[in-house]
Amino acid sequence: MSQFNEATGYNQEEAEFKRREAEALAALRSKLDAQRAELKASASRPANWMYCPKCGGQLAEQRRGEVVVDACGGCGGIFLDKGELELLLAHGKGTMLGRLFGH
Ligand SMILES: [Zn+2]
């Protein structure tokens, strides 16, 4: 029998699960930030770095909540790095976006 916490509205197991999930997501967030910074600083980054694959426009980094996207100034396309979609979905659980992707 788990204790219900009046303050959080969750029982202890749920609270612990949510805490661990938040920690895992924060760890993924900082890993992705580090990878991005490393690639940005690297001389060996690809020639098409930060150019839109659809229209060739300049991409700009935008932080949208927990996710960093590359948004095209030309066509308005939004591009995600590896791992960013997973972050987006994890934070979108129970939302329309989450349901769209089967979460
Ligand atoms: Zn574009």
Side-chain angles (χ1 to χ4, degrees):
M1 191 62 188
S2 59
Q3 287 184 323
F4 186 80
N5 184 323
E6 293 283 339
T8 62
Y10 304 126
N11 67 33
Q12 281 185 332
E13 282 109 61
E14 277 178 313
E16 177 63 13
F17 179 78
K18 284 187 183 294
R19 194 186 62 76
R20 284 184 194 204
E21 191 179 51
E23 271 180 14
L25 292 175
L28 179 57
R29 175 71 272 149
S30 41
K31 186 181 158 197
L32 292 176
D33 284 345
Q35 283 175 347
R36 182 177 274 264
E38 195 178 311
L39 191 55
K40 197 191 268 185
S42 163
S44 62
R45 65 184 187 229
N48 61 347
W49 169 252
M50 294 304 277
Y51 287 98
C52 178
K54 285 182 83 177
C55 76
Q58 186 80 53
L59 298 177
E61 281 181 21
Q62 286 179 7
R63 190 171 281 266
R64 301 271 181 98
E66 296 299 318
V67 183
V68 177
V69 300
D70 297 319
C72 177
C75 69
I78 302 281
F79 302 93
L80 296 168
D81 289 344
K82 183 182 178 189
E84 298 284 2
L85 180 61
E86 287 74 10
L87 262 184
L88 192 63
L89 292 175
H91 284 281
K93 269 182 197 165
T95 66
M96 173 118 84
L97 181 73
R99 288 196 296 277
L100 212 59
F101 287 93
H103 279 245

